[in-house]
Amino acid sequence: MKLMPCLKTLRTAQTIIIPVYNGSRWVDECFQSIVNQTYKTKFQVSVYNDGSKDNSLELIEKWRTAFLERDIDLCITGHDDQSPRGVGWSKNKAVENSAGQFLCFLDIDDVMDKDRLLKQYQAAKSQDNVIVGCRFHREPVGSTERYTRWANNLLQGKLTTQIYTSHGPTVIMPTWFCSRNVFDKICGFDEGGKGVPEDLIFFYKHLDLGGTVLRIDEDLLMYRYHQTSATFSVKEETIWNIRLEHLQKQVLSVLSEYTIWNAGKQGRKFFRSLSTDNQNKVKSFCDVDEKKIQKGYYTFEESKIKPKPKIPIVHYTKATPPFIICLKLDMTDGEFEKNLASMNLTEGTDYFLFS
């Protein structure tokens, strides 16, 4: 199919950025949600086709007339190589060929609420250097229930402190809306391809450069759950290593000592994963398990130091902050959360979640 040239010089406030790889089954629902937007000023949609093998392009092109009737500019670029180049590459190319001052990211398998553009644009233009997200719901209903509950209910103040959990960014990538300046500061997404969490890498860089995060507390996106999603190509160990590297650089490097909350498997793995300098700052493990506490110490058997280092294990009420908490939230019928609250600690100062 011969693609029409993109109007890169078009003056518009917003561009919706859509990477596409074999998305034909979702095109119509996704694009209908674009046409349905209550934001009535001219905007642009920039699609980058990452070598789709299905009829995604044909279906997308059929929406050009409906877009013209709504004064929406449709820009379609891409490649037809045998191998896809990845989500990071596709997003970067879609942005490169776009003209909007603000960028609204949308996956082809997701569906926007009719007010998304209007409300996120109003929020983003009122602040500098901000990524604006929103609440969402998942299809099928009940998919990733704990994750959805966590992301939708985080308090605003925790959007920049609860950034080391296994969930990833505190505002999910499919809901991101930001200025082009935010994107340019980061120099785009990592283009490592399949298996690279480009959103988490971008998110950390944004925060490192003094960026802020905001979530609109309205459900403005249907976030689809399916096994062919790019999310499933990212290994847990990759996420672990990126989170750990950022935690060590931004948090542990400035602490003189700290306590690891969890003397079990995850706490010990966390300890073993640390640099030697950061291992030496661990004053104790803490726990509620009497068997672990009675044991008295965790012996670091892998150490080359003789005698082997032994780190005390104490009850959490006997431990002192700051804490690195290696426990998952919402898993103990509220018992852990109750114990944590009883300590009267401040997240981001007295404790950090690495769960």
Side-chain angles (χ1 to χ4, degrees), residues 157-158 160-166 243 246-262 270 320-329 336 340 345-355:
K158 294 188 176 185
T160 52
T161 58
Q162 211 165 107
I163 60 174
Y164 299 113
T165 71
S166 58
R243 291 189 294 127
H246 197 263
L247 180 77
Q248 292 197 95
K249 180 176 67 173
Q250 297 296 335
V251 177
L252 302 188
S253 65
V254 300
L255 297 179
S256 58
E257 60 179 10
Y258 54 93
T259 300
I260 298 176
W261 192 322
N262 186 356
F270 176 78
T320 55
F323 297 96
I324 306 300
I325 299 176
C326 299
L327 289 166
K328 291 183 178 180
L329 299 174
F336 163 67
L340 180 60
L345 303 174
T346 300
E347 186 170 1
T349 303
D350 299 319
Y351 72 92
F352 299 84
L353 291 168
F354 190 90
S355 52

Side-chain angles (χ1 to χ4, degrees), residues 46-236:
S46 180
V47 174
Y48 188 84
N49 173 50
D50 192 19
S52 295
K53 305 300 186 291
D54 63 5
N55 64 334
S56 293
L57 279 182
E58 179 183 346
L59 293 175
I60 291 169
E61 184 62 39
K62 289 181 178 179
W63 281 89
R64 192 176 293 277
T65 299
F67 277 21
L68 286 173
E69 291 174 354
R70 268 291 323 271
D71 201 20
I72 302 170
D73 176 63
L74 177 59
C75 167
I76 308 174
T77 55
H79 70 85
D80 56 4
D81 297 348
Q82 286 300 308
S83 300
R85 299 176 188 176
V87 178
W89 168 279
S90 300
K91 290 174 184 171
N92 288 344
K93 287 299 180 183
V95 172
E96 181 182 319
N97 289 290
S98 70
Q101 295 173 300
F102 289 85
L103 308 173
C104 175
F105 292 92
L106 177 64
D107 292 339
I108 193 65
D109 52 350
D110 297 335
V111 177
M112 297 195 297
D113 178 84
K114 60 184 177 57
D115 293 324
R116 183 188 175 192
L117 280 187
L118 178 64
K119 292 186 175 181
Q120 289 193 297
Y121 176 58
Q122 289 172 339
K125 70 178 182 178
S126 67
Q127 297 189 38
D128 293 328
N129 203 19
V130 63
I131 291 177
V132 178
C134 64
R135 285 179 171 168
F136 61 93
H137 65 279
R138 302 222 69 172
E139 273 301 322
V141 174
S143 304
T144 64
E145 187 174 351
R146 284 181 57 249
Y147 167 64
T148 301
R149 183 165 57 247
W150 170 80
N152 280 337
N153 293 290
L154 266 178
L155 298 177
Q156 178 63 36
K158 294 188 176 185
L159 295 178
T160 52
T161 58
Q162 211 165 107
I163 60 174
Y164 299 113
T165 71
S166 58
H167 296 312
T170 50
V171 288
I172 66 162
M173 172 64 217
T175 72
W176 284 8
F177 190 106
C178 66
S179 72
R180 183 177 293 272
N181 288 336
V182 166
F183 180 88
D184 289 343
K185 279 184 181 179
I186 311 300
C187 299
F189 292 97
D190 187 288
E191 296 182 353
K194 187 176 181 179
V196 174
E198 82 293 333
D199 56 342
L200 182 60
I201 295 170
F202 188 103
F203 187 72
Y204 281 160
K205 287 182 178 179
H206 172 67
L207 295 178
D208 289 348
L209 292 172
T212 58
V213 186
L214 173 69
R215 187 191 66 228
I216 294 176
D217 287 333
E218 295 183 50
D219 183 347
L220 300 178
L221 185 82
M222 183 276 280
Y223 180 22
R224 201 182 305 271
Y225 179 88
H226 58 93
Q227 293 297 322
T228 59
S229 170
T231 301
F232 289 98
S233 70
V234 183
K235 296 180 180 178
E236 288 186 14

Side-chain angles (χ1 to χ4, degrees), residues 268 271-277 279-280 298-311:
R268 297 195 302 270
F271 177 85
R272 293 193 300 268
S273 302
L274 296 171
S275 68
T276 300
D277 284 345
Q279 286 176 347
N280 291 336
Y298 164 67
T299 303
F300 183 29
E301 297 290 354
E302 292 87 349
S303 176
K304 296 180 180 179
I305 299 173
K306 293 183 179 180
K308 304 291 186 184
K310 291 187 175 182
I311 299 90

Side-chain angles (χ1 to χ4, degrees), residues 332-351:
T332 58
D333 292 326
E335 284 302 310
F336 163 67
E337 287 80 2
K338 188 186 302 181
N339 292 340
L340 180 60
S342 72
M343 304 284 283
N344 295 314
L345 303 174
T346 300
E347 186 170 1
T349 303
D350 299 319
Y351 72 92

